[in-house]
């Protein structure tokens, strides 16, 4: 049974246990995706760390959708695109 709606609800209620569980369940896969997109492990780790903290601190889970992994991976892709664009603009 898909528990994504309940997890999203708990995140929206600012449940820190739900956030910790989300980090435990998804951070590694998010980091792998960021690494594939950026080809830099340090940047990939930083992107995921920053993204998760921003989603938590700015109540970013208000916009979360089911399936949760799709929402998270879309957010990673957006962050990587912004970072790549910024790096190209400064070159």
């Amino acid at each position: 049974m898909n528990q994504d709606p309940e997890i999203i609800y708990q995140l929206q209620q600012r449940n820190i246990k739900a956030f910790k569980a989300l980090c435990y369940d998804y951070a590694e896969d998010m980091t792998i995706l960021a690494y594939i997109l950026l080809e830099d492990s340090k940047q990939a780790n930083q992107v995921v760390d920053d993204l998760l903290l921003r989603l938590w601190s700015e109540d970013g889970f208000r916009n979360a959708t089911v399936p949760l992994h799709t929402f998270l991976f879309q957010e990673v892709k957006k962050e990587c695109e912004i970072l790549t664009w910024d790096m190209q603009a400064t070159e």
Side-chain angles (χ1 to χ4, degrees), residues 56-75:
W56 180 255
S57 66
E58 296 178 6
D59 204 16
F61 293 108
R62 285 273 161 229
N63 302 320
T65 56
V66 174
L68 185 56
H69 73 274
T70 299
F71 168 77
L72 294 170
F73 292 171
Q74 288 172 344
E75 292 297 311

Side-chain angles (χ1 to χ4, degrees), residues 7-80:
I7 294 168
I8 291 170
Y9 174 78
Q10 292 298 322
L11 291 166
Q12 291 170 344
Q13 299 303 308
R14 313 285 293 154
N15 181 320
I16 192 69
K17 288 182 182 179
F19 179 68
K20 286 180 180 180
L22 171 106
C23 292
Y24 180 80
D25 291 342
Y26 291 99
E28 184 177 356
D29 291 339
M30 292 168 68
T31 304
I32 290 168
L33 175 59
Y35 176 76
I36 290 168
L37 296 170
L38 299 172
E39 298 178 352
D40 183 309
S41 60
K42 186 176 179 179
Q43 280 187 330
N45 284 314
Q46 192 63 51
V47 162
V48 172
D49 289 348
D50 291 349
L51 173 61
L52 288 169
L53 289 174
R54 182 178 53 77
L55 287 171
W56 180 255
S57 66
E58 296 178 6
D59 204 16
F61 293 108
R62 285 273 161 229
N63 302 320
T65 56
V66 174
L68 185 56
H69 73 274
T70 299
F71 168 77
L72 294 170
F73 292 171
Q74 288 172 344
E75 292 297 311
V76 168
K77 287 179 185 177
K78 284 191 254 181
E79 291 297 313
C80 290

